[in-house]
Amino acid sequence: MAYVTAQHLKYQYPGSSDLALNDISFSVRPGEFIGIVGKNGSGKSSLCQAIAGLIPNFYKGAYGGKLLIDEMEVRGADAGALCSKVGIVFQNPFNQVTGAKLTVYEEIAFGLENLGIPREEMKRRMEEAMELLHISQYKERYPFDLSGGQMQRMAIAGILAMRPEVMVLDEPVSQLDPQGRREVFEAVRLLSRQGITIFMAEHNMEQIADFSDRIILLHEGRLVCVDTPRAVFSRDDLAQYGVQPPVFTRLARNAGVRLEDGTYPVTLEEAEELFAAKRRME
Ligand SMILES: Nc1ncnc2c1ncn2[C@@H]1O[C@H](COP(=O)(O)OP(=O)(O)OP(=O)(O)O)[C@@H](O)[C@H]1O
Ligand SMILES: [Mg+2]
């Protein structure tokens, strides 16, 4: 499984005078679930595209530093090699459907066909991906007849069938209803448990705190920190980056209730446990 390393990564869109990514460095272990947060325009999507190699292979502009997946530098990497290492899922499921396929099955097969995978192997991978994402029962459906959550899971299955070691998801649930959000988050959690390294940009801090091993906080193209959800959301200076911590963190902070290491809880479970312990002490 893959390590992902950014070394002084810089990027400027063509015609722009600001750096969308400004000297970003981090190292992520295989199988980590990394949340990417920051206010609008902070560089989340740009970072997602740089990890997936769309920047600078597809989007031109000024690029500096390196993004490595294991030993492979994404810049200039062969498209086939890149697809077997890293896949990307975007915000709007509708934009990811080819529009040329009549069934969910054919839609998921599309990427694999382009990779020239033998038939039998392809079939095996597809069945596996559809099962994992709980969409096998829709395989004969017309792709546009799916709900948003089902469609997004279909997009993820298409990427998953290519067996990437790293999966990047840029706000994959922001267009979905609560049911669809849950379906997709649970699906991504399963992928993470299979050892796939996950990068996920997301605005919902409760969910990102719950799912992430570590969080990358961006501000104006710079990396503010990469740390555990508790460490990130316990920072005193979050407001200045336009990020509001999860509601549980705010409640605990207002009540002056901290964990032993001085951080505040970030999930419902952590907060409940802490408040219960506090009551027992009183
Ligand atoms: N295609 C583009 N051309 C020029 N500038 C761009 C382009 N895409 C993004 N930018 C600029 O790059 C910076 C980072 O944008 P980016 O889309 O990565 O932010 P983001 O954190 O994903 O924002 P959001 O929360 O709105 O999705 C912003 O200043 C944005 O205006
Ligand atoms: Mg974005």
Side-chain angles (χ1 to χ4, degrees), residues 13-14 16 20 38-47 59 170-171 203:
Y13 285 96
S16 166
K39 69 175 182 194
N40 293 117
S42 59
K44 299 182 296 297
S45 295
S46 305
L47 180 58
Y59 293 102
D170 186 5
E171 298 194 46
H203 276 290

Side-chain angles (χ1 to χ4, degrees), residues 26-230:
F26 58 77
S27 182
V28 165
R29 291 181 293 276
E32 271 195 284
F33 192 127
I34 303 292
I36 303 174
V37 307
K39 69 175 182 194
N40 293 117
S42 59
K44 299 182 296 297
S45 295
S46 305
L47 180 58
C48 286
Q49 282 162 1
I51 296 169
L54 292 175
I55 288 176
N57 298 334
F58 182 74
Y59 293 102
K60 300 305 170 193
Y63 185 88
K66 281 183 184 171
L67 193 297
L68 299 159
I69 301 183
D70 287 331
E71 307 290 292
M72 186 186 78
E73 196 177 338
V74 300
R75 177 184 206 168
D78 166 72
L82 203 53
C83 282
S84 65
K85 282 282 187 199
V86 56
I88 184 163
V89 175
F90 300 97
Q91 203 163 11
N92 190 337
F94 285 90
N95 296 344
Q96 297 175 77
V97 180
T98 59
K101 304 291 177 187
L102 291 178
T103 67
V104 167
Y105 190 89
E106 290 170 35
E107 182 68 37
I108 296 175
F110 182 74
L112 286 183
E113 281 163 354
N114 285 341
L115 285 184
I117 310 271
R119 280 255 143 226
E120 276 308 301
E121 168 73 9
M122 212 167 111
K123 201 160 164 266
R124 199 164 45 239
R125 289 191 188 191
M126 304 247 318
E127 297 294 341
E128 218 177 270
M130 288 190 297
E131 197 147 312
L132 193 70
L133 293 156
H134 303 296
I135 51 171
S136 306
Q137 66 271 38
Y138 313 124
K139 68 179 170 193
E140 299 303 331
R141 284 251 193 108
Y142 181 52
F144 286 103
D145 284 344
L146 300 180
S147 72
Q150 290 162 350
M151 210 182 266
Q152 195 58 301
R153 283 183 289 144
M154 173 181 77
I156 296 174
I159 303 289
L160 182 66
M162 294 195 246
R163 297 262 169 93
E165 297 178 27
V166 179
M167 197 172 287
V168 183
L169 302 109
D170 186 5
E171 298 194 46
V173 299
S174 63
Q175 313 268 331
L176 306 182
D177 60 15
Q179 158 90 5
R181 294 182 67 91
R182 250 194 322 277
E183 287 171 5
V184 170
F185 260 104
E186 289 305 332
V188 177
R189 191 189 317 252
L190 275 176
L191 303 186
S192 163
R193 289 196 180 135
Q194 305 252 316
I196 297 179
T197 307
I198 307 284
F199 288 88
M200 187 179 202
E202 173 57 30
H203 276 290
N204 183 302
M205 297 303 154
E206 282 73 22
Q207 273 169 322
I208 210 72
D210 194 9
F211 282 82
S212 305
D213 295 312
R214 289 193 295 158
I215 290 176
I216 289 176
L217 170 59
L218 297 177
H219 184 64
E220 293 176 354
R222 290 182 180 274
L223 184 142
V224 177
C225 65
V226 45
D227 213 331
T228 61
R230 288 216 318 249

Side-chain angles (χ1 to χ4, degrees), residues 202-273:
E202 173 57 30
H203 276 290
N204 183 302
M205 297 303 154
E206 282 73 22
Q207 273 169 322
I208 210 72
D210 194 9
F211 282 82
S212 305
D213 295 312
R214 289 193 295 158
I215 290 176
I216 289 176
L217 170 59
L218 297 177
H219 184 64
E220 293 176 354
R222 290 182 180 274
L223 184 142
V224 177
C225 65
V226 45
D227 213 331
T228 61
R230 288 216 318 249
V232 172
F233 290 128
S234 295
R235 291 176 68 107
D236 292 325
D237 58 355
L238 275 185
Q240 111 185 34
Y241 306 119
V243 169
Q244 196 177 40
V247 59
F248 317 110
T249 313
R250 284 180 271 145
L251 284 171
R253 187 184 271 274
N254 288 342
V257 182
R258 292 171 188 252
L259 289 139
E260 259 172 30
D261 63 2
T263 60
Y264 295 101
V266 296
T267 62
L268 175 62
E269 290 72 29
E270 282 177 6
E272 273 179 345
E273 214 171 287

